Amino acid sequence: MSMSGKLMVGNWKMNGSLAANASLLSDILSGMGRVSCRVAVCLPAPYLAQAQSLLAGSAVELGAQDVSAHESGAYTGEVSCAMLRDFAVRYAIVGHSERRQYHGETDATVAHKTQRALAGGITPIVCVGESLAEREAGQTEAVVKRQLATVIHTNGHCISEIVVAYEPVWAIGTGLTATPEQVQSVHAVLRAQLLAATAHAERVSILYGGSMNAANAASLLDQPDVDGGLIGGASLKAADFLSILKAASR
Ligand code: PGA
């Protein structure tokens, strides 16, 4: 497992407002006293400036939910790495299943976004995960390995600088969580794949995401290859998010 403590990342998705963010972030900050894991929150781009100022001086780091594969120029609607860096963004989620599903992102797109993020000083959180149909067809391992292989192939030895998130699509926002055993078995496959690509695979944090909550976080985080979590719904409620952070701080 990765050596430097659990990494817990909130993925707010397309939620929030100036008022709601201010209250959520202030509630999270006031509960951080007993939290010793690494923490980041990934906000919608328009709120990064607000969050940067509210989180200044705290242990909570800032993330984005996507990043452009291009450096700059005529790409209407895109947000570049350099723009994110202007707001002290440390992480960017790349290849979330919602972007693969609704925005046509392919394994190649995800690999290029990963490459751009690494070149631009942002740690990409690369998401992989199978659909329910793929799991039922026994294709889970093949699917996640194919998704990660393209990223490894495109990024060479820099691969030790990424974060991976295993998010089974059928567990996202559904209340269905993969069992700790299912999660560990996929994480072990991903770890082995990283080990074959880099001497520093132990540095890569492999997060689990998909209906992680206060009740199931501890048993998932106890698995040897689960280095943290990517938390959607439960990261929008300060009390729930803080309980998960405490489970990650034992
Ligand atoms: P969820 O989302 O925790 O609401 O299932 C996780 C994610 O999609 O990152």
Side-chain angles (χ1 to χ4, degrees):
M1 84 172 239
S2 142
M3 317 291 249
S4 43
K6 305 288 187 195
L7 171 61
M8 306 302 287
V9 181
N11 173 13
W12 289 14
K13 308 195 180 185
M14 199 171 73
N15 294 290
S17 66
L18 284 174
N21 304 346
S23 111
L24 178 53
L25 289 174
S26 120
D27 290 349
I28 291 171
L29 289 178
S30 57
M32 286 288 291
R34 301 203 333 273
V35 170
S36 60
C37 59
R38 294 177 288 155
V39 182
V41 283
C42 297
L43 277 77
Y47 297 123
L48 291 172
Q50 179 199 20
Q52 181 190 21
S53 106
L54 293 175
L55 297 175
S58 84
V60 179
E61 295 190 288
L62 200 48
Q65 297 173 13
D66 185 25
V67 62
S68 178
H70 306 286
E71 192 170 356
S72 69
Y75 300 102
T76 301
E78 294 276 275
V79 175
S80 74
C81 252
M83 294 170 186
L84 297 177
R85 291 295 305 153
D86 269 345
F87 298 95
V89 168
R90 164 89 199 271
Y91 297 100
I93 298 171
V94 172
H96 190 280
S97 60
E98 287 150 17
R99 297 213 56 88
R100 294 180 190 257
Q101 211 178 328
Y102 309 134
H103 302 274
E105 294 196 5
T106 63
D107 293 342
T109 318
V110 174
H112 288 129
K113 289 185 169 189
T114 301
Q115 191 173 37
R116 183 64 65 191
L118 288 170
I122 288 186
T123 301
I125 300 174
V126 178
C127 300
V128 300
E130 81 287 2
S131 67
L132 184 58
E134 288 164 340
R135 174 161 284 269
E136 287 173 344
Q139 294 168 347
T140 298
E141 279 194 22
V143 168
V144 299
K145 283 170 88 169
R146 185 205 75 221
Q147 291 172 331
L148 186 58
T150 312
V151 176
I152 290 174
H153 180 76
T154 308
N155 288 277
H157 64 270
C158 295
I159 205 68
S160 63
E161 305 303 320
I162 74 170
V163 169
V164 175
Y166 168 54
E167 298 207 309
V169 176
W170 49 273
I172 295 177
T174 57
L176 294 173
T177 314
T179 66
E181 295 69 29
Q182 286 173 323
V183 172
Q184 170 57 27
S185 112
V186 174
H187 282 223
V189 165
L190 297 170
R191 182 83 65 200
Q193 193 177 1
L194 290 163
L195 269 169
T198 167
H200 304 291
E202 81 290 344
R203 244 196 244 160
V204 178
S205 291
I206 307 180
L207 316 182
Y208 169 76
S211 299
M212 189 183 266
N213 60 38
N216 63 29
S219 62
L220 292 161
L221 293 166
D222 276 347
Q223 300 302 310
D225 286 300
V226 178
D227 303 315
L230 183 55
I231 303 124
S235 74
L236 294 170
K237 295 183 193 128
D240 291 4
F241 192 51
L242 286 166
S243 306
I244 298 172
L245 298 182
K246 279 167 197 153
S249 300
R250 295 160 304 147

